[in-house]
Amino acid sequence: MQTNELKTIAMERRLDVLEVVMRSKSGHIGGAMSGLDILVSLYYVIMDVEKIKRQDPDRDRFVMSKGHCGDSLYTVLADCGFFAKELLETYAAFDTILAEHPTKKVPGVEMATGALGHGLPLAVGMAIACKNDASPANVYVFMGDGEQAEGSNWEAAMAASKYGLGNLTAVIDRNYLQISGSTEEVMPIDNLAAKYSAFGWQVKECDGHEPAEIIEAISAERLADQPLLVIARTTKGYGSAVMANKASWHHKTPSQEEYKQIKADLQEQIRGLRHD
Amino acid sequence: MTKVSVRGAVAAAIQTEAAANPNVYIVTTDSRGSAMVTGLADLFPERFIECGIAEQNAVGVASGLASTGKTVFVLSPACFLSARSYEQVKIDVAYNESDVKLIGVSAGVSYGPLGGTHTTLNDFASMRALPNLEIYAPADAVQAAAITKHIAQDGKPVWLRIGRGDVEAVYEDGESFDIERAKVVCDGSDITLIACGEMVLYAKKAAGLLAEAGIAARVLDMFRLKPVDAAAVIQASYDTEAILTIEEHSIHGGLGEMVAGILAQNHCVPLKIMGFPDEEYKVGSSQELFEHYGLTAENIAREAGALLERARL
């Protein structure tokens, strides 16, 4: 798939997220927007989605550690045909299977996530099993940057290295913002590359809004017995100047005026991508 | 009376299951010695996952393994496994309905000499509030082996707590257990003693003492605390005049309050809850602490007699 095509798909999903958030008056819109190019790269290029759909034992595994951005994952799963798009209308509604944070009830979701710092340990367990079973499956876990303050991640980072998990890839959505403000003010976590390297990981960095770079970082040849971390530099609220780089958009429902502007911004970018 | 290791019985049962089923995994937290599973690391090196002193990760890893179709036993000191990794138990294990067996070893006051950091007198209270999670507290090695075999094949999330010291047998080798039902250790029509874990032995001995005084006590071993056999409790409330519960747990939120809840909503009879009081516990061996807090056969018999007297006023 061409880069512009992937970027377009990600922008269209941002439009879907916007509608989901407006309808439900709920959802973590900022982090959803920042992570979509990464989700699209994984679901439309890197992973074999058909294998996931038929629950093949050798399917790739994906864990949404930043479960609060379930809305973005749902728009991707719906577009990939895991469930009907109409189901998105039930997001966060009474008795829906689409809680804000994903659960196993959602087709395509391996494990419930949402309490931060849980995804990496889960992914380590999956990767150990796949490795022992000599499965060709890869395990991908998508983490936020704020959740790097959770100690359980570092317990899991040690274990991933100890067990030589060359089938494990973690991607961090590095947008430098969390609910209270800058990640570096709330709890400095920078030098992530050096930290994970010291824990025995191979580390790569890329522009998290450039699918070609994301795919190259994740899929290029790698060391066979080391877990891989991809630090994807992103912008929280990517896609519209209304939200971009503003911590206040971590969890916010746009006003009607903001909604119109965000929608117009996203549509304009889609038009631009199609004409390039 | 010879004493047998409950930990050893659980370990042996896991070994049998792991030998028969290549999907059985074992996860430890630098706890293989205290869980008596060192030998399993040699027998099943690929399926023995040592997570180090990191209980949160251990429970997460176990759940990840289970998501691929494995049956995973996590063996770790109960004091840490029940509390440090509680959120992982709540979400990764219970909410995800993972086939993970959390084996809390050296529970209760097994580590009494180590002080309050190492007591586990809160696990029934915290674990029973988690949907999907089943809770077991076996009375002796025979029952522990039977329960371990059962949970290895039931596909469910489980919290199983055992003590550290060797214990006298309550049951003979080959005794069978209906997993759905409280085990009737002995029957009687005056009063019912409901116990779990190591307290079953003392309840059984207390029943012997009561018999000498002409009081016929029924002893129920509530080895599965969740789902609890409410029918056995209700039946006891009609068949006998009072109910006494005994547990190696805080009096708050454990077996006693479970029984109280069942009685209050069905059929009330005089009830007394015996366990550890809501205070900072003394330091000492299990035996010393049981004696200090009145968890002995003699005192159980005394309390049962007094309760029955009150019921008959």
Side-chain angles (χ1 to χ4, degrees):
Chain A
M1 229 182 256
Q2 295 296 310
T3 296
N4 270 11
E5 207 178 329
L6 293 167
K7 285 186 181 180
T8 304
I9 293 169
M11 280 298 172
E12 288 170 344
R13 299 294 77 74
R14 288 184 177 96
L15 275 173
D16 291 344
V17 168
L18 180 65
E19 296 302 326
V20 163
V21 168
M22 285 305 289
R23 197 182 298 116
S24 64
K25 297 188 170 34
S26 198
H28 291 73
I29 190 167
M33 297 298 179
S34 69
L36 266 163
D37 293 290
I38 295 149
L39 286 176
V40 165
S41 298
L42 283 163
Y43 275 90
Y44 295 74
V45 178
I46 297 168
M47 299 196 294
D48 183 341
V49 165
E50 293 310 313
K51 263 189 176 174
I52 299 173
K53 278 185 194 166
R54 62 172 184 265
Q55 291 286 290
D56 190 307
D58 286 333
R59 68 188 181 280
D60 289 334
R61 265 76 174 181
F62 175 78
V63 181
M64 186 76 172
S65 193
K66 45 176 286 175
H68 52 290
C69 298
D71 44 6
S72 58
L73 177 64
Y74 297 156
T75 66
V76 168
L77 290 174
D79 194 56
C80 288
F82 282 89
F83 50 81
K85 224 164 186 172
E86 291 70 44
L87 193 62
L88 292 174
E89 293 170 18
T90 71
Y91 173 80
F94 175 72
D95 206 27
T96 181
I97 62 164
L98 300 186
E100 282 196 44
H101 298 82
T103 72
K104 284 166 73 174
K105 289 180 185 158
V106 182
V109 172
E110 299 280 354
M111 291 294 267
T113 50
L116 297 172
H118 284 237
L120 194 53
L122 292 172
V124 168
M126 292 175 186
I128 290 172
C130 291
K131 186 179 177 182
N132 280 355
D133 292 345
S135 168
N138 285 302
V139 180
Y140 302 97
V141 53
F142 190 23
M143 298 190 282
D145 52 1
E147 73 167 306
Q148 297 307 308
E150 291 281 8
S152 50
N153 287 321
W154 302 98
E155 296 180 5
M158 277 186 273
S161 178
K162 173 188 172 183
Y163 284 98
L165 301 178
N167 56 351
L168 173 65
T169 301
V171 182
I172 295 179
D173 185 357
R174 186 65 171 121
N175 60 34
Y176 279 91
L177 289 176
Q178 58 193 105
I179 196 165
S180 304
S182 157
T183 55
E184 301 317 295
E185 286 170 14
V186 176
M187 180 50 66
I189 50 149
D190 217 355
N191 299 318
L192 282 170
K195 285 173 178 156
Y196 274 88
S197 292
F199 275 71
W201 287 56
Q202 188 180 354
V203 181
K204 294 182 186 178
E205 299 195 40
C206 70
D207 182 331
H209 297 303
E210 285 296 336
E213 282 193 33
I214 298 163
I215 294 163
E216 165 68 16
I218 294 176
S219 304
E221 201 163 324
R222 56 190 280 188
L223 300 171
D225 57 357
Q226 258 187 310
L228 170 67
L229 173 72
V230 174
I231 301 170
R233 294 183 302 274
T234 59
T235 301
K236 195 152 190 161
Y238 187 77
S240 168
V242 174
M243 309 175 283
N245 248 327
K246 293 174 186 164
S248 57
W249 282 83
H250 179 87
H251 187 283
K252 183 179 173 180
T253 307
S255 65
Q256 272 303 322
E257 208 169 292
E258 288 166 334
Y259 164 72
K260 282 180 193 160
Q261 186 59 53
I262 294 167
K263 190 171 180 180
D265 290 346
L266 294 172
Q267 285 171 332
E268 190 185 324
Q269 290 181 75
I270 291 170
R271 276 194 298 276
L273 285 163
R274 285 190 175 138
H275 287 127
D276 271 354
Chain B
M1 190 78 185
T2 54
K3 292 186 172 184
V4 184
S5 168
V6 177
R7 289 181 295 154
V10 170
I14 294 172
Q15 181 177 330
T16 302
E17 295 300 318
N21 178 1
N23 281 322
V24 170
Y25 270 66
I26 297 124
V27 173
T28 53
T29 59
D30 194 21
S31 49
R32 65 184 71 190
S34 58
M36 298 178 76
V37 291
T38 303
L40 304 192
D42 299 326
L43 287 170
F44 315 106
E46 273 202 343
R47 294 188 273 143
F48 192 101
I49 309 300
E50 174 58 79
C51 283
I53 306 167
E55 293 78 13
Q56 296 181 60
N57 183 53
V59 176
V61 165
S63 305
L65 285 163
S67 81
T68 71
K70 312 301 182 192
T71 297
V72 190
F73 285 87
V74 184
L75 298 108
S76 181
C79 50
F80 311 129
L81 191 60
S82 66
R84 176 70 68 100
S85 48
Y86 186 61
E87 190 181 83
Q88 280 75 13
V89 175
K90 172 190 160 194
I91 299 172
D92 302 347
V93 178
Y95 189 45
N96 278 306
E97 296 185 68
S98 300
D99 189 5
V100 171
K101 319 302 169 185
L102 302 153
I103 313 293
V105 300
S106 306
V109 291
S110 297
Y111 279 143
L114 281 65
T117 53
H118 283 61
T119 53
T120 315
L121 296 166
N122 54 290
D123 54 324
F124 297 157
S126 55
M127 296 300 174
R128 67 185 272 229
L130 300 180
N132 300 328
L133 190 68
E134 303 205 342
I135 304 172
Y136 294 90
D140 71 358
V142 170
Q143 192 180 52
I147 293 171
T148 304
K149 182 179 179 188
H150 172 81
I151 62 174
Q153 296 165 14
D154 71 359
K156 292 176 182 171
V158 166
W159 170 256
L160 185 155
R161 67 116 93 167
I162 53 177
R164 182 173 181 81
D166 297 350
V167 298
E168 272 180 47
V170 174
Y171 302 107
E172 290 182 11
D173 284 341
E175 180 74 54
S176 64
F177 301 93
D178 179 346
I179 217 80
E180 309 280 329
R181 299 277 162 259
K183 182 77 178 170
V184 181
V185 178
C186 59
D187 208 357
S189 55
D190 292 322
I191 188 167
T192 301
L193 313 181
I194 306 179
C196 63
E198 292 183 28
M199 291 300 124
V200 175
L201 176 72
Y202 301 118
K204 185 183 176 185
K205 288 183 174 179
L209 296 173
L210 287 166
E212 288 170 16
I215 296 171
R218 174 181 299 178
V219 175
L220 292 180
D221 172 3
M222 200 62 84
F223 61 90
R224 189 173 76 167
L225 287 101
K226 197 183 171 190
V228 74
D229 183 3
V233 175
I234 296 166
Q235 191 62 48
S237 75
Y238 285 102
D239 292 348
T240 65
E241 297 165 65
I243 294 180
L244 177 66
T245 66
I246 315 104
E247 63 196 301
E248 189 181 348
H249 187 274
S250 163
I251 53 168
H252 293 319
L255 173 68
E257 288 194 351
M258 263 182 240
V259 169
I262 294 165
L263 294 177
Q265 294 175 85
N266 291 279
H267 178 235
C268 286
V269 291
L271 168 75
K272 179 165 179 69
I273 296 171
M274 293 181 72
F276 282 79
D278 187 22
E279 63 186 45
E280 190 181 311
Y281 312 116
K282 303 270 185 219
V283 174
S285 69
S286 295
Q287 214 51 51
E288 288 168 330
L289 293 176
F290 290 161
E291 280 167 24
H292 178 78
Y293 292 105
L295 299 170
T296 60
E298 293 73 18
N299 197 49
I300 292 167
R302 201 159 33 239
E303 292 285 358
L307 179 62
L308 194 58
E309 213 168 285
R310 177 155 68 88
R312 286 172 174 172
L313 277 180

